[in-house]
Amino acid sequence: DTQADSLGEAHKMSPAEELYMGVGRELPAALLAFLLGGVLGGVYEVFRTPRAASRHPAAAVFAEDIIFCLIFAVSYYSFSVQVTMGIMRLYSLVLMLLGFFAYLWTLGRAVSKIADTIIRGGRIAADFLGKMFKKATEHLYTMPLFDKSSKKAD
């Protein structure tokens, strides 16, 4: 809580001085906050992609959103402790949110399109396999082994 001045004497730091990180530390912290927001956008994809694949009940969507918000909050708290000297700074939160939305509006759109294509392809493949299975079982039931009319003739 004390800092030596140029004369070698110690003086008490003001609260503003204690909060000051300096531009040399704040700019990297700001960049890290933005990047962390982008990473959290990727984490959100883990929740968003299954929603695109199938319908989720409203309660499940609500629970997933709460879980994601908790992950975001813990990330912000951890960032504040590790990077900004334990002080929750508004610019860190704003830059994390900007990084999150930047991911969603850029890379997230591309990831969603790829995921949608994969999901659509999976549905087409599942429909095709289901039709093939249905035809195969219908064919099996017409064979003499399963034909009920051939047993009556015996």
Side-chain angles (χ1 to χ4, degrees):
D1 292 338
T2 61
Q3 182 180 20
D5 61 15
S6 60
L7 300 174
E9 297 176 8
H11 73 276
K12 182 124 175 98
M13 291 175 62
S14 70
E17 290 174 319
E18 289 179 5
L19 295 177
Y20 181 70
M21 288 178 29
V23 175
R25 291 184 62 200
E26 286 182 353
L27 283 176
L31 179 62
L32 285 173
F34 184 81
L35 293 174
L36 179 57
V39 168
L40 288 167
V43 171
Y44 186 71
E45 286 295 336
V46 174
F47 293 96
R48 183 165 72 163
T49 302
R51 292 179 191 179
S54 64
R55 293 181 183 235
H56 281 53
V61 171
F62 179 76
E64 291 167 356
D65 287 343
I66 293 297
I67 291 168
F68 177 75
C69 287
L70 289 173
I71 290 169
F72 197 99
V74 168
S75 298
Y76 174 61
Y77 175 77
S78 298
F79 179 86
S80 297
V81 168
Q82 295 296 318
V83 179
T84 60
M85 303 178 344
I87 300 167
M88 296 180 138
R89 297 176 185 267
L90 182 60
Y91 77 84
S92 297
L93 178 61
V94 169
L95 286 168
M96 283 176 65
L97 289 168
L98 285 174
F100 173 77
F101 287 113
Y103 171 87
L104 289 183
W105 294 329
T106 57
L107 189 59
R109 287 185 179 177
V111 169
S112 288
K113 287 180 182 178
I114 292 168
D116 288 345
T117 301
I118 292 170
I119 291 166
R120 200 172 319 114
R123 286 182 179 150
I124 291 169
D127 288 345
F128 174 75
L129 292 173
K131 289 176 184 176
M132 294 304 291
F133 181 75
K134 184 177 178 183
K135 285 182 181 181
T137 54
E138 287 172 354
H139 180 69
L140 282 173
Y141 283 123
T142 61
M143 295 177 75
L145 178 66
F146 295 107
D147 191 14
K148 294 178 183 177
S149 62
S150 65
K151 288 184 180 180
K152 290 180 185 177
D154 289 341

